[in-house]
Amino acid sequence: MKAERTGNTPSLRVVRRPEGERRIAHREDPYRLGQRPVEPTLCPTCKASFQGGRWTWEAAPADSFEQVCPACQRIHDKFPAGYVTLKGDFFASHRDEIVALVQSHEKTEKAERPLQRIMAIEDRKDAVEITVTDPQLARGIAEVLHETFKGDMKLRYSRDENLLRATWKR
């Protein structure tokens, strides 16, 4: 796979795949460091550790370096990587069941991927808005709701901000 920078958009690059397919990809998420943390590293906030090239929930050795993980940094900065909006008459009448499913999905994902977390679940006018630390979690929440309850799902990815806005309505 060969990557080349586009001249008029410095924050994006075009990825050429062997089959000739093109897609625009992000250079970097500002919350994902350009260099990997030194191993082993412990997040002093959530106790996740960076070992084996990824963040995990494995216990870190006592002499580990310390660095706040990207998820805790997003939570501290109140800067989500994804928004999931839930609305509609069906949602209103099944709110507790649907929110429980969302929380269960997050728990499953977070157990395997410590950087995927719900930041907040807030009531809005005729809707609930969920903020998350990773765009893949936002997408996963919307997809699990769509698979379970059907309805309408919309995904809007903002390339400039590395942000996913998902809406599920029924």
Side-chain angles (χ1 to χ4, degrees):
M1 198 178 330
K2 181 181 174 188
E4 65 183 52
R5 293 179 199 262
T6 59
N8 58 357
T9 334
S11 65
L12 301 176
R13 63 187 166 112
V14 176
V15 177
R16 295 190 191 275
R17 297 176 182 230
E19 61 275 5
E21 175 187 334
R22 291 173 57 125
R23 81 178 174 102
I24 295 185
H26 290 278
R27 226 204 235 170
E28 287 184 36
D29 177 346
Y31 283 87
R32 305 261 179 166
L33 302 174
Q35 294 181 341
R36 292 180 173 206
V38 177
E39 292 189 34
T41 294
L42 173 71
C43 175
T45 308
C46 69
K47 306 303 181 204
S49 65
F50 188 84
Q51 299 182 67
R54 62 185 290 262
W55 288 96
T56 71
W57 293 116
E58 292 178 30
D63 61 344
S64 296
F65 293 91
E66 286 193 355
Q67 176 181 319
V68 175
C69 73
C72 288
Q73 190 63 53
R74 278 190 179 278
I75 292 166
H76 176 267
D77 294 347
K78 296 181 176 135
F79 196 79
Y83 293 86
V84 182
T85 303
L86 312 176
K87 55 188 174 180
D89 294 336
F90 179 84
F91 169 71
S93 62
H94 294 85
R95 182 190 188 284
D96 294 341
E97 176 186 1
I98 292 169
V99 169
L101 177 63
V102 166
Q103 291 170 324
S104 174
H105 179 75
E106 183 248 5
K107 183 179 178 182
T108 302
E109 291 299 311
K110 185 171 83 171
E112 184 65 28
R113 297 170 192 86
L115 303 183
Q116 293 193 7
R117 302 184 210 161
I118 290 176
M119 295 171 65
I121 299 175
E122 298 178 358
D123 288 312
R124 301 281 188 232
K125 183 180 179 184
D126 300 326
V128 165
E129 184 177 76
I130 302 167
T131 52
V132 298
T133 59
D134 188 282
Q136 293 301 322
L137 180 59
R139 180 184 192 97
I141 288 170
E143 287 175 347
V144 81
L145 291 174
H146 184 68
E147 289 169 9
T148 305
F149 300 108
K150 306 302 178 228
D152 296 322
M153 175 182 76
K154 292 182 183 169
L155 302 173
R156 192 175 77 213
Y157 190 71
S158 174
R159 293 183 180 117
D160 295 337
E161 299 174 324
N162 196 32
L163 177 73
L164 179 73
R165 292 187 184 273
T167 304
W168 178 81
K169 179 181 178 180
R170 179 167 170 215

